[in-house]
Amino acid sequence: MPSLIISRSAEPAPDWRAFAEANGTFYHRPEWVQCLADVYRLRLSCYSARQDGELHGILAVAEIPPLLGPRRLVSLPFSYAAGPLAFDAATASALSVAVLEEARERRISRVEIKSRGEHPSAPGFQRASRYATYEIPTEGGESVVWSQLHGSSTQRSIKKARKAGLEIRRGDTGNDWLIMAELEERTAHGHGLPAPPRRFFVEGCRRLQSAGLADLYLALTRSGASAAAITIWKGPRSWIYAFGASDPVHLEHRPNHLLIWTAIQDAVSAGRHFDMGRAAPEQEGLVEFKRRWGGQAIPLAYDYWPAPAGLNLAPRNRGSMAAVAAVWSRLPAGIARLGSGLYRYLG
């Protein structure tokens, strides 16, 4: 049997795109990998596994520079599951071990491999299965998906938004993406979190959109005010609800519900599932929100070297993370906006 050859490069190999399209998710796409590197100025290591020159597996990791903690290799930052994409468990394991060897060689203290858990963890890693993502199946068509929405909350909120006369339109200009960025800043601040830098939306997301990998949906009031916006990642099998942001003044009209439903309708038409995104078990309100859309839990498997510790295991609803969020949400908006410079350290 031909031996497996693992190679490493600073950017995805030329045949990476076709392999990711055929076998992976949005987070495996080379356009996403390169977007992260460009916007957040991150060093990439892109691993390819080959037998007789044929690609059998891929894995990208980015180096997260130190802020308060050590340097880390992460697959991938701001991606809930982008671990090894391989034809078999042995190839997936070999890719992860190659990352571990790089970390030791470069004296990097931590490695985090985030995946859906299709394969066992590689030697040297410790697995944690704390998170899940929530995916809405769409095979039955729009009427079946609608019937699975929670009647007295989700369906009612969509109907309320329609009654309020909200207009949903797709955005694709630089100004449209700036609206998304500004709404996200306001929303993240309210949640006690720094927002991505505006450049991520105005340049990175717009570039992904031009490649057919992202979309922007805007909700406008009758007067033309921007009530809310969502960003969608468009993978080959599932579309992912990536960002949702709104103006608190218009929340009573439930603009986010109508935005999400419109995106789900488009996913159904495109023959794609719709992924509501990741949540931790203690985020009970968020988990319930995703379930009320018909989201079905898919456990995620995160492999750590050495053992997970600190923020990897910290609950989001209490303790240090909750305390930091409470302080951040009380900062003046102008100061909080400067926190976008911290975002690259959070992946």
Side-chain angles (χ1 to χ4, degrees):
M1 182 176 178
S3 61
L4 189 71
I5 297 176
I6 306 290
S7 62
R8 184 177 88 198
S9 58
E11 58 186 31
D15 50 356
W16 188 297
R17 178 178 290 103
F19 190 86
E21 176 72 24
N23 306 289
T25 70
F26 166 84
Y27 292 124
H28 292 102
R29 294 291 301 239
E31 296 90 343
W32 172 243
V33 176
Q34 201 62 55
C35 176
L36 293 175
D38 293 346
V39 171
Y40 297 110
R41 307 183 310 281
L42 300 176
R43 174 175 173 173
L44 293 177
S45 292
C46 300
Y47 288 86
S48 300
R50 299 179 186 276
Q51 285 186 354
D52 283 341
E54 181 183 350
L55 196 59
H56 276 234
I58 57 175
L59 174 61
V61 294
E63 179 183 332
I64 306 299
L67 182 60
L68 298 177
R71 286 190 301 160
R72 296 175 290 139
L73 292 178
V74 179
S75 169
L76 273 166
F78 315 117
S79 315
Y80 71 71
L85 183 62
F87 287 151
D88 54 69
T91 301
S93 179
L95 287 164
S96 295
V97 168
V99 175
L100 183 55
E101 291 173 352
E102 177 188 355
R104 287 170 170 156
E105 170 192 324
R106 297 177 52 213
R107 298 184 180 180
I108 293 176
S109 302
R110 302 196 68 83
V111 177
E112 302 169 16
I113 306 291
K114 301 183 287 186
S115 67
R116 286 194 174 211
E118 290 89 348
H119 304 297
S121 58
F125 287 89
Q126 181 170 322
R127 174 159 293 182
S129 301
R130 180 164 168 262
Y131 294 101
T133 191
Y134 291 80
E135 191 167 274
I136 302 170
T138 60
E139 291 91 349
E142 184 179 318
S143 60
V144 172
V145 176
W146 175 265
S147 70
Q148 294 173 348
L149 305 183
H150 194 281
S152 62
S153 65
T154 309
Q155 289 184 3
R156 174 185 280 183
S157 293
I158 294 168
K159 294 173 182 176
K160 184 174 183 179
R162 286 173 172 162
K163 189 174 180 180
L166 293 174
E167 175 195 352
I168 305 299
R169 71 172 180 85
R170 277 70 169 179
D172 58 7
T173 68
N175 187 63
D176 290 333
W177 282 105
L178 180 59
I179 290 171
M180 175 75 233
E182 291 172 342
L183 288 171
E184 178 63 21
E185 287 169 3
R186 180 177 296 186
T187 300
H189 185 206
H191 288 244
L193 299 167
R198 292 183 179 183
R199 180 171 174 248
F200 170 73
F201 293 105
V202 175
E203 297 180 21
C205 291
R206 197 175 176 201
R207 189 170 70 195
L208 290 169
Q209 186 180 42
S210 68
L213 298 176
D215 254 329
L216 171 63
Y217 294 75
L218 299 167
L220 307 177
T221 66
R222 286 192 176 103
S223 65
S226 301
I230 64 172
T231 299
I232 302 297
W233 302 147
K234 301 171 72 173
R237 276 156 288 280
S238 292
W239 289 7
I240 301 168
Y241 175 36
F243 292 93
S246 56
D247 185 338
V249 172
H250 303 293
L251 278 178
E252 62 175 316
H253 300 309
R254 304 294 189 268
N256 292 79
H257 281 79
L258 187 55
L259 285 167
I260 294 171
W261 175 242
T262 303
I264 290 174
Q265 290 176 301
D266 289 347
V268 172
S269 297
R272 304 292 189 267
H273 289 184
F274 193 85
D275 195 326
M276 293 294 291
R278 189 186 80 169
E282 70 272 10
Q283 295 174 294
E284 296 176 0
L286 182 59
V287 169
E288 183 61 21
F289 176 79
K290 297 175 188 295
R291 285 177 173 162
R292 290 186 177 193
W293 282 93
Q296 300 178 6
I298 298 175
L300 301 176
Y302 288 4
D303 294 336
Y304 297 93
W305 173 83
L311 294 181
N312 298 138
L313 300 177
R316 294 170 177 262
N317 62 341
R318 63 184 185 275
S320 59
M321 291 188 71
V324 171
V327 171
W328 191 272
S329 66
R330 291 178 172 83
L331 293 175
I335 295 177
R337 180 184 165 190
L338 298 176
S340 64
L342 301 174
Y343 201 79
R344 69 191 292 257
Y345 301 100
L346 304 179

